[in-house]
């Protein structure tokens, strides 16, 4: 087995049997990139230049020519269906890659901010994107933003600040501390809250 890491000013490093070596990623500078091992065991790397996949033998690279919204993808997460979700070093929104096609969502589609600092997938397959305006929940159709008005500690999420706990709850790192979210205590956007009146007092007319 190997341990993989990206090292600033160095790039991609593989540690195997106690020996570390720098691994060149074709056309991609991975010094400030992110890593992910997918469900099939392939290694994905983001960095300046594009998105790269290593299957253990060969590299394959995708660039803006193939559909990336920017030449420097950074954040990386995998959904249960095998699709990858990406954020960027610049304000380019949120991208889904199904292995063949890229699709990008921006503020024009309902994303709260095009700067995506953290990215993760919940156990139900929905996507959470920490941005410069809180955190957004995306169910594949529309976005729901959580901000300081909802109890999120800061308007700014921290890089890589997402963790899905074993109990299904989510953790988010922000510029002002840690947030813990329990989906069992939240309500869907279209939920109507039932109100039960126990006592009504009728006062005098205002006219």
């Amino acid at each position: 087995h190997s341990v993989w890491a990206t090292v600033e000013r160095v790039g991609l490093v593989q540690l195997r049997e106690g020996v570390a070596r720098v691994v060149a990623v074709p056309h991609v500078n991975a010094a400030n990139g992110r890593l992910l091992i997918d469900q099939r065991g392939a290694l994905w790397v983001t960095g300046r230049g594009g998105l790269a996949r290593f299957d253990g033998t060969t590299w394959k690279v995708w660039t803006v020519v193939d559909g990336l919204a920017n030449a420097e993808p950074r954040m990386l997460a995998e959904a249960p269906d095998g699709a990858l979700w990406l954020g960027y070093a610049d304000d380019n929104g949120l991208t889904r890659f199904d292995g063949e096609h890229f699709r990008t969502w921006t503020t024009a589609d309902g994303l709260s901010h095009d700067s995506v600092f953290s990215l993760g997938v919940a156990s139900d397959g929905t996507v959470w994107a920490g941005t410069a305006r809180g955190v957004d929940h995306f169910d594949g159709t529309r976005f729901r933003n959580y901000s300081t008005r909802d109890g999120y500690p800061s308007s700014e999420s921290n890089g890589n600040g997402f963790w899905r706990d074993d109990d299904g709850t989510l953790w988010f790192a922000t510029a002002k501390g840690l947030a813990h979210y329990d989906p069992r205590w939240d309500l869907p956007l279209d939920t109507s809250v039932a109100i039960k009146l126990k006592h009504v007092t009728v006062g005098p007319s205002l006219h």
Side-chain angles (χ1 to χ4, degrees):
H1 298 286
S2 295
V3 175
W4 297 89
T6 54
V7 180
E8 190 173 357
R9 295 191 295 274
V10 175
L12 180 64
V13 176
Q14 179 189 30
L15 178 64
R16 186 171 186 177
E17 296 180 352
V19 178
R21 69 183 185 97
V22 178
V23 178
V25 182
H27 312 295
V28 175
N29 181 348
N32 199 27
R34 303 294 186 270
L35 305 177
L36 183 146
I37 303 292
D38 70 14
Q39 300 168 25
R40 298 182 179 181
L43 172 69
W44 293 84
V45 184
T46 59
R48 189 177 302 114
L51 171 68
R53 183 189 67 201
F54 182 60
D55 63 6
T57 304
T58 58
W59 287 95
K60 181 174 176 60
V61 176
W62 292 265
T63 69
V64 291
V65 175
D66 303 299
L68 283 171
N70 181 279
E72 190 172 356
R74 188 166 292 178
M75 299 304 126
L76 193 57
E78 184 185 18
D81 63 1
L84 293 184
W85 290 86
L86 302 103
Y88 296 88
D90 296 316
D91 299 350
N92 294 101
L94 180 67
T95 296
R96 181 181 186 270
F97 179 51
D98 63 6
E100 295 184 4
H101 304 100
F102 291 90
R103 181 180 176 184
T104 298
W105 288 262
T106 66
T107 52
D109 305 297
L111 184 65
S112 67
H113 199 286
D114 286 333
S115 291
V116 175
F117 299 137
S118 65
L119 196 55
V121 179
S123 56
D124 61 1
T126 57
V127 177
W128 291 82
T131 74
R133 198 167 289 160
V135 64
D136 282 17
H137 177 223
F138 185 52
D139 62 6
T141 302
R142 56 185 177 176
F143 291 91
R144 179 179 184 178
N145 175 253
Y146 295 83
S147 68
T148 53
R149 294 175 300 177
D150 306 294
Y152 201 65
S154 172
S155 60
E156 185 171 325
S157 299
N158 279 353
N160 288 334
F162 173 90
W163 179 258
R164 186 180 74 199
D165 221 328
D166 292 339
D167 62 2
T169 62
L170 307 177
W171 296 86
F172 303 95
T174 80
K176 293 184 178 180
L178 193 63
H180 187 216
Y181 172 80
D182 190 335
R184 294 172 297 181
W185 298 103
D186 204 353
L187 295 174
L189 282 173
D190 297 328
T191 299
S192 298
V193 179
I195 299 176
K196 183 178 181 180
L197 298 177
K198 293 186 175 181
H199 181 75
V200 177
T201 299
V202 180
S205 174
L206 296 177
H207 300 287

